[in-house]
Amino acid sequence: MTGFAATVLTLYPEMFPGPLGTALAGRALARGTWTLDSVDIRDFAEGRHRSVDDTPAGGGPGMVLRADVVARAIDAVSVGPDGAADRRPRLLMSPRGRPLTQGWVRELAAGPGVILLCGRFEGVDERVVEGRELIEVSIGDYVLSGGEIAALAILDAVVRLLDGVMGKAESGSEESFEAGLLEYPHYTRPQVWEGRTIPEVLTSGDHGAIARWRRGMAEAITEARRPDLWAARVPPDRRRT
């Protein structure tokens, strides 16, 4: 397996590559910088009706994806072409999972790829989460209809950091969350728009002053909008009052 290889286990493989087939990710996919394989979980169901889910033990609403079906799907994509075990992390899209961060995205981008399991209904039988050592990941404190949109978001965040995908390396290093800060404001022509002008420092040609302004703006925006990020990087005795 060469390059970054993504395998998505889903009941809706037609949702992929979706937006990942366009723009930067799509061009990188066409070049072979990364690969994407969407696998239909239903292909691993057995019986006349190919059932992938059942009612929750203990009662309650909805349905739960069966451990045996999901495990067969995971096992089928967890063996490399040479028969060796696939060492890619197995991620389960889940609102109860570990929050996705830019640092984690960078770790994934530096690895061989990922196996992404997209849940549906009420979720996945807990036994397969434990038995196949799935790492639960959340993209936010809200609930989606299924894991596919979350998987697309994770892959988009990762693929753009792969070597050669973005035009300039700085594009990835001067963004929100990279230094524990939100990104500073951006401006471009025209110089004046609806009476609003570009900050004078940005047209001064003084690169040191520009860098200081950008840093100051990033800090101010982070402190105002994401006090959690600000608190994590600034000791209490150094916080502005």
Side-chain angles (χ1 to χ4, degrees), residues 54-136:
D54 210 329
T55 55
M63 303 291 280
V64 178
L65 285 174
R66 292 172 46 149
D68 54 348
V69 177
V70 173
R72 283 194 291 269
I74 294 171
D75 293 346
V77 301
S78 295
V79 179
D82 57 356
D86 192 324
R87 297 302 180 186
R88 291 178 294 169
R90 302 165 178 173
L91 306 183
L92 169 62
M93 310 299 99
S94 169
R96 75 178 192 182
R98 169 185 166 189
L100 185 70
T101 64
Q102 190 66 13
W104 193 3
V105 167
R106 284 200 170 275
E107 290 179 19
L108 294 174
V114 288
I115 296 173
L116 304 173
L117 173 60
C118 301
R120 279 275 161 176
F121 317 122
E122 294 302 310
V124 177
D125 189 308
E126 187 68 19
R127 291 171 295 180
V128 77
V129 178
E130 299 169 353
R132 293 300 181 268
E133 299 180 335
L134 303 182
I135 302 169
E136 297 182 72

Side-chain angles (χ1 to χ4, degrees), residues 152-168:
L152 288 167
I154 291 173
L155 289 176
D156 182 79
V158 170
V159 168
R160 63 192 298 277
L161 297 183
L162 300 179
D163 288 343
V165 175
M166 286 190 287
K168 294 183 178 180

Side-chain angles (χ1 to χ4, degrees), residues 43-66:
D43 289 342
F44 300 90
E46 297 178 340
R48 177 180 170 186
H49 299 291
R50 299 176 66 205
S51 176
V52 299
D53 59 344
D54 210 329
T55 55
M63 303 291 280
V64 178
L65 285 174
R66 292 172 46 149

